[in-house]
Amino acid sequence: MKQNRWYIQPNSDMMGLRKILLSIVLVAMSISVAEAKRAQKVEKCDSITIFGRVLCEGEPLAGVPVSDGVHIVKTDSLGRYAIASHKFQNTVFVITPSGYEPECRKRILPNFWHRLEKKRVEAEQHDFHLVKRDQRNHRIIFVSGPAFQNSNEDLMQFKKRSIPAVRNILKDTPDSTAVYSVVMGDISNNSLWYSRDFDVGDAVSLMATMRYPTMIYTVMGDADHDGAVPGTGLTDYKSERHYVYTCGPKYYSMNIGDVHYIVLDNSVFRNEPGKGRYPAEIVGRRNYDRFVTADQLDWLRRDLKLVEDKEKPVVVLLHNTVFSATGKHRIVKRFTKPEDVDSLTNCFAGYKNVHFFTSSTWARRLSYTKELPHIVEHSLASVSGNRWALGNMGYESISTTGVPGGFEVFDAKGCELSWHYISDRNSDKPFRVYDMASVGHYYRETLEVQNLLREYPKTFINYGAKDMAKYVYINWWGFEEGAKLEVFEDNRPLRVRQIYQADPQYVVTSPAITLKNNRSKHRFSRNNCAHMFRVQRSSHESVIRVRATDPFGRIHEEQFVGTKKFAPMAK
């Protein structure tokens, strides 16, 4: 008889011990599943409303956490779980244990969740099927800011340039290493869902049709909310439904190897009325607040109780930036209300190795702060460069800070973590070198650049000025704590200075071309980047050698003699 009992391990705040005991008694009396469901319905479903099993190759898995977004329970020795749920989050999901991965749905999406379809008071069964996988060594490919909108030939660019780059990353990955991808929000552009008949579901389907080569986990971004939902008290909840029904829960967790991964949603959609040139279906200005809601924080605290070893790496994936750091490593809180940053980071008190990954700025940056020495924030560059626009015009796709479109690659060998950036041209070189004498010549001889400088003299630096010719600029997006940049002239080391200026290639391929192709007045930003460096050379005939060493010992070098040609990198 003992073998037939349900074993439930609820959290302390699970709803009503009396209700749980009722479900235990029902099963202990050997009532069949159908009879139990009928009995629960008679009792107005005040008891178990979600139940099922977790299996691997038909065999039950014990001790596996399952959650409805509020409660977290564990399976018994027969792989069974049961939750007394109000189903408010509309999904149930398994927190996959280390050494297992979900089966795939739609070719690319991990099938770790189920949509709840019955009434809140009715019980429903959902089983999970996992697959064994050696994950001691694993690799995560971060896809940041795809922002598909069926324009600028974005889908074709992704198919012809980005997917082959991912396949090359896989070729360079040992067979013993498990590989997964994470799309870091803004899979689509909600302002164009209706006018272009292309929403988040279409974006995911297209990635599957293009045969993206790995399983893809997703993070919800602000542009993944439905702009047709008017601003009310439930705007955020209602506007996320299409994303949830397509991609799954907006917050969840999983264990991969020795790393615990947590996905959270920190875009709270408001969509208040306002002016804007959007299609008639978009009923608000698509505004949102940046913070993690209280219900997510409650769930997060329960989830972290599953991580007993506080030395274990914890990786948290969110769309919007949480914090950045000043030059003196002082924290700059980036949520709508600074105190909401504290509400989130306080949950990780006592954990020694926490990494936040965010993607809303589309600028590659690592932030280390004195206030939070146990948390590092990785801000990710965009796969689309600047919304695919430059690639569509025949130029290299780069972001506003000059970082080429590409992927952040995160490696875990047990608890040993490392990361590096790979462009969609399959290069992991973390810098671009500018001979400013050549840059200056291009600035002086190119009409659209001259027009830009004349129209916006206070916004853009005139790199065509003759006193700029003595410098070599290095846009080093691999700049982070523990990395090193060295520049030599005829094997003599030069003094390297950090400067805050715009990337020359971005200026001539985005603002200059935009001004050329549009008659209307634009508002351009300086887009000064924090990873720009320069040296002063003594001769234009000398040999310049640039060497960058990352914190993990990888070395990249570039050398040129005399002058280095500058021109927008046409495809």
Side-chain angles (χ1 to χ4, degrees):
M1 193 69 178
K2 181 179 179 180
Q3 199 173 17
N4 292 328
R5 292 177 182 164
W6 289 89
Y7 172 71
I8 306 171
Q9 183 176 333
N11 279 13
S12 58
D13 60 349
M14 196 177 211
M15 307 186 68
L17 180 59
R18 179 180 177 184
K19 300 173 183 178
I20 297 173
L21 289 174
L22 174 60
S23 65
I24 295 174
V25 170
L26 288 172
V27 181
M29 293 172 62
S30 300
I31 300 177
S32 67
V33 172
E35 290 171 333
K37 290 167 66 177
R38 284 196 297 269
Q40 290 165 359
K41 194 168 184 178
V42 170
E43 294 294 329
K44 297 183 180 180
C45 295
D46 286 336
S47 189
I48 301 303
T49 54
I50 310 171
F51 64 96
R53 302 183 75 193
V54 179
L55 305 168
C56 177
E57 299 177 353
E59 297 297 320
L61 293 178
V64 177
V66 180
S67 178
D68 65 341
V70 178
H71 310 291
I72 299 176
V73 303
K74 288 186 178 181
T75 56
D76 67 3
S77 61
L78 296 180
R80 300 177 297 190
Y81 74 92
I83 306 175
S85 173
H86 284 299
K87 306 182 183 180
F88 186 72
Q89 297 299 335
N90 297 313
T91 60
V92 60
F93 56 90
V94 61
I95 299 174
T96 50
S98 178
Y100 296 87
E101 65 184 20
E103 295 178 335
C104 255
R105 52 188 290 268
K106 294 185 178 180
R107 294 181 181 171
I108 57 174
L109 295 179
N111 197 20
F112 68 94
W113 65 279
H114 291 293
R115 176 179 171 179
L116 301 176
E117 298 180 339
K118 294 190 177 182
K119 295 179 180 179
R120 298 192 187 280
V121 294
E122 292 186 30
E124 51 188 299
Q125 179 176 356
H126 295 285
D127 297 337
F128 298 95
H129 300 272
L130 305 181
V131 180
K132 285 186 178 181
R133 182 71 163 96
D134 183 357
Q135 302 168 326
R136 287 171 294 181
N137 296 339
H138 68 269
R139 168 169 280 183
I140 306 295
I141 301 171
F142 287 103
V143 185
S144 171
F148 294 124
Q149 57 188 32
N150 199 20
S151 68
N152 289 330
E153 296 187 358
D154 51 0
L155 303 174
M156 190 57 64
Q157 289 187 63
F158 188 78
K159 180 179 180 179
K160 290 187 174 181
R161 194 174 68 238
S162 303
I163 289 183
V166 174
R167 291 198 178 107
N168 283 323
I169 293 173
L170 294 178
K171 287 180 182 178
D172 294 335
T173 304
D175 292 339
S176 59
T177 299
V179 183
Y180 308 94
S181 296
V182 179
V183 177
M184 292 293 294
D186 286 1
I187 307 172
S188 57
N189 183 346
N190 57 2
S191 68
L192 302 173
W193 275 17
Y194 298 95
S195 60
R196 298 221 169 112
D197 194 24
F198 192 85
D199 58 29
V200 63
D202 298 307
V204 171
S205 296
L206 258 294
M207 292 182 74
T209 302
M210 293 175 186
R211 297 191 178 276
Y212 187 91
T214 77
M215 185 183 294
I216 297 178
Y217 290 90
T218 60
V219 177
M220 188 169 194
D222 56 276
D224 298 320
H225 291 82
D226 187 351
V229 176
T232 65
L234 291 174
T235 303
D236 186 59
Y237 177 72
K238 292 180 179 179
S239 64
E240 72 195 18
R241 285 180 180 172
H242 189 51
Y243 170 90
V244 170
Y245 293 163
T246 299
C247 299
K250 64 178 185 177
Y251 59 93
Y252 56 95
S253 66
M254 63 272 194
N255 297 282
I256 304 178
D258 293 324
V259 183
H260 185 64
Y261 290 87
I262 302 169
V263 174
L264 297 173
D265 169 32
N266 63 345
S267 304
V268 182
F269 200 58
R270 297 175 64 183
N271 206 29
E272 296 171 322
K275 296 181 180 180
R277 294 182 297 176
Y278 301 117
E281 296 88 353
I282 305 301
V283 298
R285 53 193 177 97
R286 303 180 302 122
N287 60 315
Y288 60 96
D289 289 329
R290 301 179 302 279
F291 68 97
V292 178
T293 55
D295 56 335
Q296 288 187 74
L297 293 175
D298 288 341
W299 175 87
L300 173 62
R301 296 183 190 99
R302 297 184 189 108
D303 178 78
L304 286 172
K305 290 180 181 178
L306 302 173
V307 186
E308 297 178 356
D309 181 3
K310 294 195 174 183
E311 300 284 341
K312 180 178 181 177
V314 177
V315 174
V316 186
L317 312 178
L318 315 98
H319 177 66
N320 292 300
T321 301
V322 180
F323 64 84
S324 58
T326 66
K328 296 183 178 180
H329 297 294
R330 305 301 299 183
I331 191 169
V332 180
K333 300 173 182 178
R334 297 295 186 181
F335 279 2
T336 302
K337 296 180 180 179
E339 59 268 25
D340 288 329
V341 172
D342 300 329
S343 299
L344 173 61
T345 57
N346 287 344
C347 295
F348 299 94
Y351 292 87
K352 307 299 183 183
N353 192 6
V354 181
H355 294 259
F356 287 0
F357 281 80
T358 62
S359 70
S360 60
T361 65
W362 293 7
R364 190 175 191 269
R365 179 186 64 238
L366 273 80
S367 298
Y368 304 82
T369 66
K370 295 178 179 178
E371 293 88 344
L372 299 170
H374 59 300
I375 303 178
V376 179
E377 175 155 345
H378 305 244
S379 180
L380 306 179
S382 169
V383 68
S384 69
N386 189 21
R387 291 188 181 274
W388 308 103
L390 296 180
N392 186 45
M393 293 187 291
Y395 302 110
E396 181 188 17
S397 248
I398 61 175
S399 70
T400 56
T401 57
V403 183
F407 307 90
E408 192 76 20
V409 178
F410 180 77
D411 291 316
K413 296 181 178 180
C415 291
E416 182 182 335
L417 310 179
S418 64
W419 48 85
H420 63 288
Y421 190 76
I422 296 182
S423 77
D424 57 14
R425 293 187 165 201
N426 306 312
S427 172
D428 60 353
K429 187 175 71 173
F431 59 81
R432 187 185 300 111
V433 179
Y434 296 110
D435 175 8
M436 297 308 288
S438 296
V439 171
H441 178 76
Y442 185 92
Y443 266 57
R444 292 189 297 272
E445 298 297 319
T446 307
L447 180 60
E448 54 261 31
V449 177
Q450 287 297 303
N451 289 338
L452 180 73
L453 296 175
R454 183 173 57 255
E455 292 284 336
Y456 301 89
K458 296 182 179 180
T459 303
F460 297 104
I461 297 172
N462 183 9
Y463 289 134
K466 291 186 177 181
D467 63 345
M468 299 293 293
K470 60 188 175 183
Y471 295 117
V472 173
Y473 277 35
I474 305 100
N475 189 342
W476 180 35
W477 51 85
F479 172 55
E480 61 178 282
E481 190 171 285
K484 184 178 181 181
L485 181 67
E486 301 168 283
V487 184
F488 303 89
E489 182 179 21
D490 293 333
N491 292 322
R492 177 177 58 87
L494 298 178
R495 180 190 176 193
V496 180
R497 291 186 56 192
Q498 184 179 12
I499 58 176
Y500 293 86
Q501 294 182 11
D503 181 89
Q505 183 171 310
Y506 173 75
V507 173
V508 302
T509 58
S510 186
I513 302 301
T514 299
L515 183 65
K516 175 184 175 182
N517 295 336
N518 294 273
R519 295 180 179 178
S520 59
K521 186 79 171 179
H522 278 258
R523 295 181 61 184
F524 292 116
S525 299
R526 289 189 177 91
N527 290 312
N528 294 341
C529 68
H531 43 72
M532 187 69 74
F533 297 81
R534 81 179 181 192
V535 296
Q536 183 174 333
R537 64 191 304 188
S538 60
S539 169
H540 290 291
E541 282 74 43
S542 59
V543 177
I544 298 295
R545 179 163 55 94
V546 179
R547 179 168 65 197
T549 306
D550 76 7
F552 311 104
R554 288 183 286 255
I555 298 175
H556 295 85
E557 289 191 344
E558 180 180 327
Q559 178 175 298
F560 68 91
V561 180
T563 60
K564 179 184 178 183
K565 184 179 179 181
F566 171 78
M569 290 182 168
K571 296 201 174 289

